[in-house]
Amino acid sequence: MRNTAKITTAVLAAGALTLGLSACGAGDSGSDGPLIVAASPTPHAEILTYVKDNLAKKEGLDLEVKEFTDYVTPNTATQDGSVGANYFQNQPYLDDFNKKNGTDIVPVVTVHLEPLGLYSHKVKKADALKSGATVAIPNDTVNEARALKLLAANGLITLKAGVGNEATPSDITKNPKNLKFKELEAAQTPRSLDDVDAAVVNGNYALESDLKPAKDALVLESPKDNPYGNFLAVKKGEENDPRVKKLAKLLTSPEVKKFIQDKYAGAVLASF
């Protein structure tokens, strides 16, 4: 049985006390207690649960997995010590989060990439989108830029030269199909597919919604030279926690690579 606890945003908003955790027990270096790791349900918590059930005991690691349903609270919980680490994000997102929130969270080891994809319940090819079609995109800074870059790479729009990870629809210089954009929380994009013409969906939310990126995506992000690999992260200063080092080793083991390949069939790609 999976020993994970799903935490909704509403519960998380009540603060670390609702988790029944103490900063001392979760994040202190050298602690003899379990390492509590915050993770998005799919695929992050699934990968961690595989480690917990199959590899951790042999390595002497007591691992607990906490599932979070948003992209904010895992970092705030890591910063305040409610959890000892998190596994859900990429470097551009973390850089933006640290800058905006004054946090000092750092990556430990990169584990996998989830290719971003464009999906639709109404058309079977991207170029079949009609003039004036509405496309849902994530509304957080990095994933919105990433979504726009995906559309640009496939000829649907053109972005201003040199635009970075803060690109928004205002940076579009050519829009031949006159696409309209609906900015939503990333978790809402797959749920919008019946209401919009297409949606750009993060890999983890696609999997949670029974979308198969390798099969269902109209266009899919290329893994080549991709900066959006997802990693294990901790509050700065906790990198040398023996528990964190053990988990980093296990997350980049041959067993985990095989698990990712077998379970996700190309929808998630090992980065090691």
Side-chain angles (χ1 to χ4, degrees), residues 13 47 53 62-63 72 79 89 111 120 122 143 197 199 229 248 272:
I47 295 170
D53 292 346
D62 187 358
L63 180 63
V72 174
Q79 182 71 23
Q89 65 193 319
V111 182
S120 177
K122 299 178 181 178
N143 283 305
D197 297 290
F272 54 92

Side-chain angles (χ1 to χ4, degrees), residues 100-218:
K100 289 182 175 177
N101 295 279
T103 47
D104 58 350
I105 296 164
V106 296
V108 176
V109 66
T110 301
V111 182
H112 77 268
L113 171 73
E114 302 159 28
L116 203 70
L118 177 69
Y119 300 85
S120 177
H121 286 170
K122 299 178 181 178
V123 298
K124 296 188 180 297
K125 294 183 179 181
D127 59 11
L129 286 169
K130 295 180 180 180
S131 178
T134 299
V135 179
I137 58 176
N139 65 3
D140 63 275
T141 300
V142 170
N143 283 305
E144 181 169 62
R146 189 178 172 190
L148 293 172
K149 289 178 181 179
L150 173 68
L151 299 178
N154 287 277
L156 292 170
I157 59 173
T158 301
L159 290 172
K160 190 184 302 179
V163 70
N165 289 315
E166 296 184 355
T168 70
S170 66
D171 293 304
I172 295 172
T173 57
K174 292 182 181 179
N175 186 358
K177 287 183 176 288
N178 192 30
L179 299 177
K180 302 185 186 316
F181 297 95
K182 188 172 185 178
E183 297 165 291
L184 300 173
E185 183 182 349
Q188 299 298 321
T189 55
R191 302 171 196 170
S192 74
L193 282 168
D194 289 331
D195 303 314
V196 298
D197 297 290
V200 179
V201 182
N202 290 70
N204 61 311
Y205 291 130
L207 291 171
E208 289 175 23
S209 302
D210 294 324
L211 294 168
K212 297 177 175 59
K215 176 183 176 182
D216 298 333
L218 305 184

Side-chain angles (χ1 to χ4, degrees), residues 39-103:
S40 297
T42 307
H44 309 78
E46 293 174 346
I47 295 170
L48 287 168
T49 299
Y50 170 80
V51 170
K52 174 183 171 63
D53 292 346
N54 297 278
L55 306 175
K57 185 175 180 180
K58 185 176 180 180
E59 193 68 23
L61 174 64
D62 187 358
L63 180 63
E64 291 187 16
V65 184
K66 296 288 183 183
E67 294 188 10
F68 288 70
T69 58
D70 71 304
Y71 282 171
V72 174
T73 329
N75 275 337
T76 58
T78 302
Q79 182 71 23
D80 70 22
S82 298
V83 299
N86 68 55
Y87 173 33
F88 77 101
Q89 65 193 319
N90 57 54
Q91 191 68 59
Y93 180 83
L94 177 59
D95 290 343
D96 180 70
F97 188 93
N98 279 336
K99 180 180 178 181
K100 289 182 175 177
N101 295 279
T103 47

